[in-house]
Amino acid sequence: MDAYDGVRGREGRPATGSGEHEGAGIASLSLPYQVVAAVALAVVGVFTCVHLAMVFLHVAPSNTLTKQHGAAVDDWIYPEFEQNWKLFAPNPLQQNIAVHVRAQVAGDDGSRRTTDWIDLSGQDAEAIRGSLLPSHTEQNELRRAWDFYLNSHTDDHRPNGLRGELSESYIRRIVMLRLGEQRLGGTVEQIQLRSAARAVRPPSWSNEKTDTEPVHREFPWWKVTAADLPGGSENDRTEAGR
């Protein structure tokens, strides 16, 4: 019998240390940790099921559930999880739409001036260019807020319901947050938005002719109030744009 035979078990297998864990995954954890892991997995599973159900009801045709619980579905979906299926429509989007803003600024000497148009969408594009993991805010906050505003207003800029007022407040706060990062040399008193729609240039192999000059649509001037500011106070309004 050689020396190695002494460390073999009765079945001829190498003996194992008493401290070695048998099993894998949750089963290898102690009982308290197993309970915590099971609860965490259950919470994630329930959340996932609820989210998938809400998204399904949002995109599904009108039915009994959406008629009875449509408000709850909208509260869950908007604005972060809104689904846009236009990419798969018979006529997919063929325009790039940019959001511009200009402001009326009051200087310390009592003078007032109107700034040039500031391309907010262009700033977002620059922020994500070259970024491997751009944030959802950088990519979609302004764009989705603008879609939200357009879809909840009439052509003469009147809100068509409670969501219309909410969308206007939302876009105004986003714009003032962006202007707060600019050095405008005074206090922003009014802002005006416009959209610039530019058709996507057709590919080189296509014979299609498309006018790629931007088409602008200007919106009314809005007077800036404390509610439009990130901090929601008159002190923040005084500092905005400086």
Side-chain angles (χ1 to χ4, degrees):
M1 181 176 69
D2 59 28
Y4 185 67
D5 292 337
V7 297
R8 292 180 178 272
R10 293 183 178 180
E11 303 296 331
R13 296 187 299 270
T16 59
S18 59
E20 183 178 346
H21 289 287
E22 296 183 0
I26 294 180
S28 66
L29 301 175
S30 61
L31 180 60
Y33 286 104
Q34 288 183 23
V35 173
V36 172
V39 171
L41 289 174
V43 171
V44 172
V46 170
F47 177 83
T48 302
C49 291
V50 171
H51 179 68
L52 292 176
M54 289 295 189
V55 172
F56 173 79
L57 292 174
H58 175 65
V59 300
S62 179
N63 54 67
T64 303
L65 282 176
T66 55
K67 290 178 181 178
Q68 293 180 351
H69 306 289
V73 174
D74 288 345
D75 289 342
W76 182 279
I77 293 295
Y78 292 107
E80 289 86 0
F81 304 120
E82 181 184 2
Q83 303 297 310
N84 184 343
W85 301 111
K86 292 182 180 179
L87 177 63
F88 306 102
N91 296 310
L93 292 174
Q94 297 180 344
Q95 289 182 325
N96 289 320
I97 300 178
V99 179
H100 301 167
V101 64
R102 63 179 177 178
Q104 289 184 357
V105 180
D108 294 334
D109 57 358
S111 63
R112 284 174 170 76
R113 64 182 182 86
T114 300
T115 67
D116 295 330
W117 289 104
I118 300 171
D119 185 357
L120 300 179
S121 298
Q123 293 177 354
D124 284 356
E126 286 296 325
I128 67 174
R129 183 171 287 113
S131 174
L132 296 178
L133 297 171
S135 72
H136 175 77
T137 300
E138 290 174 327
Q139 296 179 83
N140 297 318
E141 181 184 60
L142 178 64
R143 179 178 63 84
R144 301 300 286 272
W146 187 247
D147 288 342
F148 185 23
Y149 175 83
L150 293 180
N151 292 332
S152 57
H153 281 71
T154 62
D155 291 339
D156 57 351
H157 313 295
R158 296 181 181 275
N160 54 18
L162 294 177
R163 295 182 69 243
E165 297 176 2
L166 175 63
S167 68
E168 181 176 323
S169 174
Y170 186 42
I171 191 68
R172 288 168 68 145
R173 288 178 68 88
I174 290 175
V175 170
M176 288 305 300
L177 182 65
R178 304 293 179 88
L179 289 181
E181 301 171 355
Q182 307 286 325
R183 293 188 176 274
L184 302 180
T187 302
V188 177
E189 294 188 332
Q190 296 189 84
I191 56 174
Q192 184 183 28
L193 299 179
R194 76 174 183 184
S195 62
R198 187 191 300 268
V200 176
R201 189 183 300 277
S204 58
W205 45 260
S206 173
N207 294 325
E208 182 181 358
K209 302 297 182 182
T210 303
D211 184 4
T212 57
E213 288 298 315
V215 176
H216 296 108
R217 178 188 175 191
E218 295 187 4
F219 291 74
W221 283 93
W222 285 331
K223 183 177 180 180
V224 175
T225 67
D228 300 326
L229 304 174
S233 69
E234 289 295 338
N235 291 335
D236 292 328
R237 179 174 180 271
T238 301
E239 295 298 324
R242 293 191 180 280

